[in-house]
Amino acid sequence: MLVEFPFFVAGINYFPGEISALRVFEPRYLLLIGDSIINSKNFLVGRNIEKLGQIVSEVEILEHQDISNAEQLVIIECKNLYKVKEISLDNEYPLCKVNDHNDIGLPPDVIELDNLEKNIKKMTAKLIEQGLNTSIPEFEVDSDNRINKLWELCIYTPMDLETKNYILNQNDISKRYETLFNYVDSILNA
């Protein structure tokens, strides 16, 4: 079943549960944000206005603030991922028809996730020593849901955009885990 959402093209995607900020200044996207606020509706954020089949992030507005009369700061949280089937540019702002990006495969076990969490902290400490301006993550959610725990680990792992996009496009949970594990391991052993 296809579902339609307003579509904000920001050149990025978010992991489920990830919180971020958008600076909105383009008139069509200011209108999209205004409509989303007034109607309490979520919208999609994605990388490309033309590419069908891309993975996009459904986001909810947590807070918004006028920066000027022509700019908004919007704090969003990613709620879900979808796969683009149609994009319409015939409206005041882009609309996108999507279907679910369903997970397949088995998640890693609790011990694997705990070990990966420890290695992410070690990797982040190593990157801080090398000059990365961040802090060692404190994983707040002690989730019994291993799929959500894997997303949480993805959110707090400093990674390049290529790796992030590869993980987001993967619907096989074990491949997501393997990619994140290998990425962290490659930084730790570099």
Side-chain angles (χ1 to χ4, degrees):
M1 179 173 134
L2 293 180
V3 181
E4 186 173 70
F5 288 95
F7 186 33
F8 186 107
V9 182
I12 193 165
N13 289 93
Y14 301 104
F15 293 118
E18 186 172 0
I19 296 174
S20 189
L22 292 172
R23 290 182 80 95
V24 185
F25 52 87
E26 193 173 330
R28 65 181 171 174
Y29 294 132
L30 286 168
L31 184 59
L32 182 156
I33 296 300
D35 286 352
S36 294
I37 292 167
I38 290 169
N39 298 313
S40 298
K41 298 283 185 179
N42 294 350
F43 60 96
L44 300 174
V45 175
R47 293 188 320 260
N48 189 304
I49 201 160
E50 299 166 349
K51 185 178 178 194
L52 299 180
Q54 69 179 298
I55 302 303
V56 292
S57 305
E58 175 192 0
V59 299
E60 175 184 12
I61 297 174
L62 301 177
E63 296 179 35
H64 59 90
Q65 172 185 343
D66 288 331
I67 296 174
S68 71
N69 63 354
E71 190 172 4
Q72 285 256 329
L73 177 64
V74 183
I75 308 301
I76 56 170
E77 180 179 9
C78 179
K79 295 299 188 181
N80 204 353
L81 298 177
Y82 290 97
K83 188 174 240 180
V84 173
K85 292 297 176 185
E86 295 177 30
I87 300 171
S88 172
L89 303 175
D90 298 332
N91 303 292
E92 296 171 301
Y93 44 77
L95 296 174
C96 193
K97 289 187 179 178
V98 295
N99 61 7
D100 289 335
H101 179 60
N102 295 319
D103 290 332
I104 60 170
L106 298 173
D109 64 38
V110 173
I111 293 170
E112 289 173 312
L113 289 169
D114 287 343
N115 288 333
L116 181 56
E117 181 179 315
K118 290 174 189 169
N119 284 340
I120 290 169
K121 288 181 178 184
K122 289 178 192 173
M123 179 199 85
T124 306
K126 180 179 179 178
L127 293 173
I128 290 170
E129 288 174 3
Q130 295 173 355
L132 180 67
N133 186 13
T134 190
S135 58
I136 297 175
E138 288 296 324
F139 296 98
E140 298 171 14
V141 179
D142 186 24
S143 175
D144 290 332
N145 183 327
R146 292 176 287 150
I147 296 170
N148 289 342
K149 181 64 175 181
L150 183 56
W151 284 128
E152 180 192 14
L153 294 175
C154 290
I155 291 168
Y156 291 108
T157 302
M159 69 178 77
D160 59 69
L161 196 53
E162 183 179 330
T163 303
K164 181 176 185 174
N165 288 333
Y166 182 81
I167 291 171
L168 280 165
N169 281 289
Q170 229 8 283
N171 64 337
D172 185 324
I173 300 165
S174 60
K175 287 186 181 177
R176 275 187 216 143
Y177 169 78
E178 182 182 306
T179 301
L180 184 59
F181 177 88
N182 290 336
Y183 178 79
V184 171
D185 192 54
S186 71
I187 301 289
L188 281 174
N189 294 312

